Amino acid sequence: MLIAKKIIDLQNFLKNKRAHHSLGFVPTMGDLHEGHLSLVKRSKKENIFTAVSIFVNPKQFDCKEDFKKYKRNESKDIEKLRKENVDLVFLPSAQEIYPKGFQTSVEVGGLTKNLCGTFRPGHFKGVAAIVLKLFNLVQPDKAYFGLKDVQQVKVVEQMVKDLNLPIHVIPCPIVREQNGLALSSRNSRLSSEEYFRATKIFFSLRVCADLLKSRRNLSLKFVREYFRNHLELQGRDKVEYFEAVDPETLVFLKKLKPPILFAAAVWIGKTRLIDNVLVLKPHHVYGG
Ligand code: AMP
């Protein structure tokens, strides 16, 4: 496994690989868990070469404190990727990615206006810039993204379509704990009590989806209140948003008619977690 910290090393390695082989790419911010590794495994299965990047992208953090707190776990990450037989890890410094004088931004329009976009100003601009830059550097055939960050997947898909990038974006299912909690690098910040409260996020999303089966004319107001009441029960946690959106366009739905994507962001104490559940038909609920 080659570990490239410099763009020049990355490009030298990839120069000979690209011509005749399929290249899969998994961009990450590190502190890898089974969610990340599921993308790596999928890429390994579908490509001859797999490249993974680890870069905590300062431009996508709307809060400096969150950027500072973001866990770095380089040596453990490398160990995990070695076990997966990854071919290349790109581990650049911020200086390497954003050298002095860097001044380009990338903005995807409508899709970034609601859900996380409303509450994290500039977040998706930062995501689009880094993903486009990494795509240019790696030039993969396929790029793998997790549906936990469903809005991110849509934004990347839109950018790829609008700019005619020759890359297939592959959305991958959410990996969860047995209790349903979506794996996230931020979960390690939770105390054991907070961890227990965090498991209510998926549980409540599932209940909302199940209510569609059992109740006719279920209103959005009702499910929104259910979700908020359940999560904010003890006054320590806060629902940032809970929405029912069209799974393709992420536009807010006025009526609860499948297909529906229930998406939520919840502050469990000082940790912000996101999750979503897709309902294709009233009896057909996906956790990822
Ligand atoms: P991050 O390191 O948080 O930027 O995530 C890197 C990639 O891993 C993104 O495409 C995420 O959507 C994906 N990912 C993170 N957590 C999960 C999960 N629980 N299941 C599936 N994919 C995930």
Side-chain angles (χ1 to χ4, degrees):
M1 185 173 85
L2 183 92
I3 299 168
K5 295 199 171 189
K6 298 281 178 204
I7 288 172
I8 185 80
D9 297 332
L10 171 85
Q11 290 182 320
N12 278 339
F13 179 81
L14 291 175
K15 209 164 38 194
N16 310 318
K17 310 287 183 223
R18 269 194 217 105
H20 309 290
H21 304 296
S22 65
L23 174 59
F25 177 47
V26 182
T28 81
M29 297 208 295
D31 194 18
L32 303 179
H33 51 63
E34 285 301 321
H36 299 112
L37 297 181
S38 71
L39 312 186
V40 171
K41 288 183 171 103
R42 175 101 182 251
S43 172
K44 287 286 303 176
K45 218 186 267 176
E46 297 181 355
N47 301 281
I48 306 280
F49 287 97
T50 290
V52 176
S53 65
I54 298 177
F55 179 60
V56 185
N57 176 31
K59 283 195 190 294
Q60 71 187 71
F61 285 81
D62 48 308
C63 164
K64 271 198 180 140
E65 200 48 38
D66 191 27
F67 174 66
K68 268 201 230 151
K69 270 203 285 187
Y70 206 87
K71 206 159 151 201
R72 277 79 168 169
N73 226 339
E74 222 171 81
S75 48
K76 277 200 179 146
D77 288 347
I78 289 172
E79 225 173 90
K80 287 177 187 171
L81 295 175
R82 226 185 268 285
K83 268 195 194 148
E84 298 296 334
N85 288 319
V86 163
D87 301 284
L88 169 76
V89 183
F90 182 43
L91 247 171
S93 64
Q95 184 59 28
E96 188 71 3
I97 293 294
Y98 302 120
K100 206 160 171 250
F102 186 98
Q103 47 192 286
T104 298
S105 61
V106 185
E107 188 164 12
V108 177
L111 270 169
T112 63
K113 300 294 179 235
N114 64 6
L115 305 177
C116 291
T118 311
F119 297 93
R120 301 189 68 188
H123 169 68
F124 287 114
K125 250 174 134 174
V127 168
I130 190 64
V131 171
L132 184 56
K133 178 143 183 163
L134 291 169
F135 279 0
N136 279 334
L137 292 173
V138 177
Q139 296 182 26
D141 299 287
K142 292 180 181 167
Y144 297 79
F145 291 85
L147 282 164
K148 183 172 86 66
D149 302 277
V150 62
Q151 194 170 14
Q152 173 170 279
V153 175
K154 296 290 167 196
V155 168
V156 172
E157 283 177 339
Q158 190 67 43
M159 178 178 77
V160 162
K161 185 173 166 214
D162 289 347
L163 301 181
N164 300 94
L165 304 179
I167 296 168
H168 291 287
V169 175
I170 315 283
C172 301
I174 302 174
V175 177
R176 301 179 178 283
E177 303 277 11
Q178 272 196 341
N179 58 30
L181 178 65
L183 297 191
S184 162
S185 303
R186 291 187 169 86
N187 290 355
S188 62
R189 295 184 199 168
L190 302 169
S191 67
S192 50
E193 206 189 316
E194 286 174 334
Y195 180 91
F196 171 72
R197 296 194 325 254
T199 61
K200 289 192 198 168
I201 301 172
F202 179 61
F203 177 84
S204 305
L205 283 168
R206 283 294 302 243
V207 171
C208 293
D210 287 343
L211 282 171
L212 279 174
K213 287 186 216 167
S214 53
R215 289 200 184 210
R216 275 193 176 187
N217 301 324
L218 187 68
S219 74
L220 186 55
K221 186 165 176 276
F222 182 90
V223 284
R224 188 174 275 136
E225 271 172 21
Y226 163 79
F227 190 84
R228 197 171 285 277
N229 291 340
H230 208 67
L231 265 300
E232 295 182 351
L233 193 63
Q234 291 154 325
R236 284 175 290 187
D237 305 322
K238 183 109 195 84
V239 175
E240 186 176 86
Y241 68 76
F242 167 86
E243 297 293 348
V245 295
D246 179 293
E248 283 310 312
T249 61
L250 303 187
V251 168
F252 293 139
L253 295 176
K254 292 199 177 88
K255 278 193 178 158
L256 287 183
K257 191 166 167 281
I260 301 169
L261 184 79
F262 286 116
V266 182
W267 286 90
I268 301 291
K270 290 193 170 140
T271 305
R272 182 181 182 275
L273 300 175
I274 56 171
D275 200 353
N276 63 81
V277 156
L278 177 64
V279 187
L280 284 181
K281 297 178 197 155
H283 299 289
H284 200 167
V285 180
Y286 286 104

